[in-house]
């Protein structure tokens, strides 16, 4: 019965979202700028809810619950770095980014700082790889939950789910993504509040009660921060720098109608992300206190199936469906735009706007299909792409920060079309590659340090031959 109702609800919501996208088909086809960033005209409420819906993926509800089950409050340090970085992004970069109508962070770096299509391509590859891993993860996470709930093969649902977000992203571009995100975000917040009220009622909304329950099952260590200061800093930097280089957030700022809308939306969505992700992590600890013998990955599914009604299970599946489809569609759209904008346009002769839209739509389909198939049938491929999270944070962010701070003309503001940085072409290339490699091999802290130093040193030793304007 649960499987039947799950399919009914999934199909109904899917048809609704595809129907919404048809409304934006004509508008999104007006120009590549419209398809990529909605012409830079999105108001505060759309930026806010698309940020929330994009941030709150399957990992925020299921993944972090599993981490809480395993590591307890130590996971909160990573959450503060990963989710709190959105607040840092809002304060430092969101308003700045919203002044421009770039389509990607790589284009911004290329225009204002590097003026090098090779570096632009490197950044494009790294940022798109993050999103490919994320897309596959959303589909696979939702499929696993469906399988646990219903005991049936998740593959048909995963393919159906994937086809839906690929279709509506292809049809309506950015406008389709943000308006479906708006609906998904509103429903998602309501269902999340309901769900956590249910979960925290198990401990009478008392952390002291949770500590006593954990002590009863010999799991008191979960309430202790038993990691070194170095580990704390590493977890924070890994989460923080990975998000600061995330194309999906920069793209939404470029799409905002003004800097204030972008910075406020990212700030508030960052607060929402921190609160709900910490709630998810502590939920894992609650499950540990109730049943310490289950696998961490099945913590929340076990709680739903054994401690709640079938109606609650259905509502929770709707919550995960909304979280997965909103995150997947946003990441898919961003990945396709990055590939067109940073890997095709710089290395091609002038391409007409209409052809760029056609290429973008085909890439939405191809990237979506590849992401899902890789996640389902090749764990090694998707794991390789997931390395890009660390590589991008350790390579791109230091070069970005050095480039923005080290101006060629200190009194001038950054403007589109005007190069204004002392970071040279080779300084950027060396900083990007060295930071990415060192971050994976020795850790992101070393990667950030090496990238920063080599970007500056290489720019002194190998400066650009002439200033570029």
């Amino acid at each position: 019965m649960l499987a039947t109702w799950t399919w009914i609800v999934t199909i109904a919501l899917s048809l609704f979202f595809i129907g919404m996208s048809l409304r934006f088909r004509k508008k999104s086809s007006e120009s590549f700028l419209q398809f990529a960033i909605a012409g830079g005209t999105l108001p505060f409420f759309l930026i806010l809810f698309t940020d929330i819906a994009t941030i709150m993926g399957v990992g925020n509800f299921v993944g972090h619950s599993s981490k809480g089950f395993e590591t307890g409050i130590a996971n909160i340090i990573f959450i503060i770095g990963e989710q709190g970085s959105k607040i840092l992004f809002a304060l430092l970069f969101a308003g700045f980014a919203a002044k421009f109508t770039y389509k990607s962070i790589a284009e911004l770096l290329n225009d204002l700082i590097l003026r090098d299509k090779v570096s632009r391509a490197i950044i494009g590859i790294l940022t798109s790889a993050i999103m490919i891993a994320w897309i596959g993860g959303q589909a696979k996470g939702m499929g696993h939950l469906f399988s646990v709930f219903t005991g049936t093969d998740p593959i048909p649902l995963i393919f159906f789910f994937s086809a839906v977000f690929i279709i509506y992203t292809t049809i309506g571009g950015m406008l389709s993504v943000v308006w479906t995100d708006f609906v998904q975000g509103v429903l998602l917040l309501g269902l999340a509040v309901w769900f956590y009220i249910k979960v925290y009622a198990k401990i009478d909304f008392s952390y002291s009660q949770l500590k006593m329950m954990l002590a009863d099952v010999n799991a008191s260590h979960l309430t202790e921060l038993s990691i070194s200061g170095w580990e704390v800093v590493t977890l924070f930097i890994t989460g923080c720098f990975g998000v600061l280089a995330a194309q999906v957030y920069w793209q939404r700022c470029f799409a905002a109608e003004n800097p204030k809308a972008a910075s406020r939306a990212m700030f508030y969505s960052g607060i929402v992300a921190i609160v709900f992700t910490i709630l998810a992590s502590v939920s894992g600890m609650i499950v540990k206190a109730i049943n310490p013998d289950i696998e961490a990955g099945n913590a929340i599914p076990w709680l739903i199936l054994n401690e709640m009604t079938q109606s609650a299970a259905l509502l929770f599946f709707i919550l995960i469906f909304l979280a997965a489809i909103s995150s997947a569609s946003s990441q898919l759209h961003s990945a396709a735009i990055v590939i067109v904008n940073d890997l095709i346009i710089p290395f091609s002769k002038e391409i007409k706007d209409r052809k760029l839209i056609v290429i973008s739509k085909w890439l939405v389909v191809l990237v979506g299909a590849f992401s899902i198939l890789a996640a389902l049938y090749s764990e090694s491929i998707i794991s390789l792409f997931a390395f890009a999270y660390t590589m991008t944070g350790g390579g791109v962010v230091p070069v970005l920060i050095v480039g923005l701070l080290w101006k060629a003309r200190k009194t001038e503001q950054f403007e589109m079309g005007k190069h204004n940085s002392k970071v040279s072409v080779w300084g950027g290339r060396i900083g990007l590659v060295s930071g990415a490699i060192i971050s994976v091999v020795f850790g992101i802290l070393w990667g950030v340090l090496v990238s920063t130093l080599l970007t500056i040193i290489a720019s002194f030793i190998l400066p650009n031959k002439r200033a570029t304007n």
Side-chain angles (χ1 to χ4, degrees), residues 25-332:
R25 178 173 55 184
K26 184 176 179 180
K27 185 69 175 176
S28 68
S29 297
E30 288 180 357
S31 67
F32 181 57
L33 189 71
Q34 276 290 345
F35 189 85
I37 59 170
T41 61
L42 298 183
F44 164 73
F45 79 94
L46 281 180
I47 298 293
L48 173 64
F49 279 98
T50 190
D51 281 342
I52 290 173
T54 300
I55 292 167
M56 303 297 285
V58 175
N60 290 68
F61 292 104
V62 179
H64 279 292
S65 298
S66 301
K67 278 292 184 183
F69 186 96
E70 289 179 320
T71 64
I73 63 170
N75 187 52
I76 293 176
I77 300 299
F78 178 78
I79 290 172
I80 292 172
E82 181 188 46
Q83 306 300 335
S85 59
K86 284 134 184 136
I87 295 176
L88 186 64
F89 184 94
L91 297 174
L92 298 180
F93 296 113
F96 170 76
K99 295 177 181 178
F100 311 108
T101 52
Y102 298 116
K103 291 92 175 173
S104 68
I105 181 176
E107 185 183 3
L108 179 146
L109 271 157
N110 179 71
D111 189 42
L112 302 182
I113 299 171
L114 300 175
R115 290 297 173 96
D116 176 35
K117 62 183 180 181
V118 173
S119 295
R120 181 173 175 176
I122 293 171
I123 298 167
I125 291 169
L126 291 174
T127 53
S128 60
I130 293 175
M131 293 177 282
I132 288 171
W134 193 272
I135 295 163
Q138 298 305 302
K140 197 166 184 179
M142 196 197 70
H144 172 72
L145 190 70
F146 176 79
S147 178
V148 171
F149 277 15
T150 65
T152 58
D153 184 3
I155 299 299
L157 182 79
I158 290 175
F159 282 142
F160 176 79
F161 158 83
S162 304
V164 170
F165 72 77
I166 289 172
I167 289 169
Y168 76 68
T169 304
T170 303
I171 292 172
M174 174 63 94
L175 283 171
S176 177
V177 169
V178 297
W179 275 103
T180 52
D181 276 356
F182 172 68
V183 175
Q184 291 156 2
V186 170
L187 293 173
L188 190 151
L189 284 179
L191 287 171
V193 170
W194 161 83
F195 173 68
Y196 288 122
I197 288 174
K198 286 277 191 182
V199 174
Y200 281 73
K202 302 290 181 183
I203 59 168
D204 298 324
F205 303 97
S206 169
Y207 187 65
S208 298
Q209 176 69 17
L210 174 59
K211 291 174 74 173
M212 288 189 292
M213 292 171 66
L214 287 169
D216 290 340
V217 295
N218 297 317
S220 295
H221 62 280
L222 294 182
T223 62
E224 301 169 359
L225 192 60
S226 55
I227 57 176
S228 68
W230 182 259
E231 288 177 303
V232 169
V233 174
T234 301
L235 285 171
F236 181 84
I237 295 295
T238 300
C240 187
F241 274 53
V243 168
L244 291 179
Q247 156 70 11
V248 70
Y249 303 122
W250 285 90
Q251 189 177 357
R252 272 140 185 75
C253 293
F254 298 143
E257 64 181 356
N258 58 59
K260 186 176 180 180
S263 57
R264 284 172 58 215
M266 184 58 73
F267 182 80
Y268 294 138
S269 64
I271 293 174
V272 170
I274 290 176
V275 170
F276 280 94
T277 310
I278 290 176
L279 288 175
S281 190
V282 177
S283 295
M285 297 168 65
I286 293 173
V287 179
K288 181 78 171 183
I290 298 172
N291 184 358
D293 299 322
I294 59 172
E295 292 183 7
N298 291 327
I300 289 299
W302 178 89
L303 181 70
I304 297 294
L305 290 175
N306 292 275
E307 299 287 321
M308 297 186 185
T309 64
Q310 278 208 343
S311 297
L314 179 61
L315 288 173
F316 181 74
F317 181 81
I318 295 172
L319 169 65
I320 296 302
F321 174 79
L322 294 169
I325 200 167
S326 57
S327 287
S329 61
S330 296
Q331 300 286 347
L332 175 59

